[in-house]
Amino acid sequence: MELGTSCFQSDLDFCPECGTILPLPGVQDKVTCVRCSFSIDVRDFEGKVVQSCVEFNRLGSVPLMIVGDGQEVKGPTIDRKCPQCGHEGMVYHTRQMRSADEGQTVFYTCGRCKFQEKEDS
């Protein structure tokens, strides 16, 4: 596929066909998406500046969610609706419950009613 035949418009950082982050341009004539093989001429990247930033949270700076009875629930919050009370926003954490070649288990806790559920990935 060549540039111009895509159904979507996107920034050059992302594949306009599937949305995957494109690899950095190298010595090849084309930049090719690793997921769908869409290719863009490397000259389209001339003059483009790529910047990245990594921010680390300080230890102990994880936000706390206070549940109804005043008990604290630690962890990052995600936009997920509690299936029991309908509250939007659940705290989650992950654990490796099975062998290393299998996915992690994600545990969600509702900040309002303390309902807990797990999801195997």
Side-chain angles (χ1 to χ4, degrees):
M1 257 185 211
E2 293 295 322
L3 186 64
T5 61
S6 176
C7 301
F8 305 101
Q9 286 188 339
S10 71
D11 195 19
L12 282 179
D13 295 334
F14 301 93
C15 174
E17 199 58 38
C18 70
T20 300
I21 296 175
L22 290 173
L24 293 173
V27 295
Q28 299 84 6
D29 293 340
K30 303 231 178 251
V31 174
T32 304
C33 176
V34 296
R35 183 170 182 264
C36 72
S37 300
F38 185 87
S39 62
I40 298 174
D41 193 304
V42 74
R43 288 176 285 211
D44 292 343
F45 290 86
E46 286 181 4
K48 181 163 176 55
V49 176
V50 177
Q51 293 181 323
S52 63
C53 177
V54 177
E55 292 184 27
F56 294 95
N57 295 325
R58 292 186 178 166
L59 289 176
S61 68
V62 175
L64 298 176
M65 181 180 278
I66 309 296
V67 293
D69 62 358
Q71 185 180 357
E72 297 176 345
V73 179
K74 289 185 179 184
T77 304
I78 188 170
D79 291 333
R80 182 181 177 107
K81 186 181 273 189
C82 174
Q84 184 167 316
C85 72
H87 177 70
E88 188 69 42
M90 296 184 81
V91 174
Y92 73 94
H93 69 278
T94 61
R95 288 211 176 124
Q96 187 68 38
M97 303 296 286
R98 297 170 287 173
S99 62
D101 64 339
E102 296 182 34
Q104 296 183 61
T105 301
V106 183
F107 295 89
Y108 298 97
T109 304
C110 176
R112 181 182 289 160
C113 70
K114 293 190 274 184
F115 175 78
Q116 293 184 337
E117 64 179 340
K118 71 176 184 171
E119 183 177 278
D120 295 320
S121 52

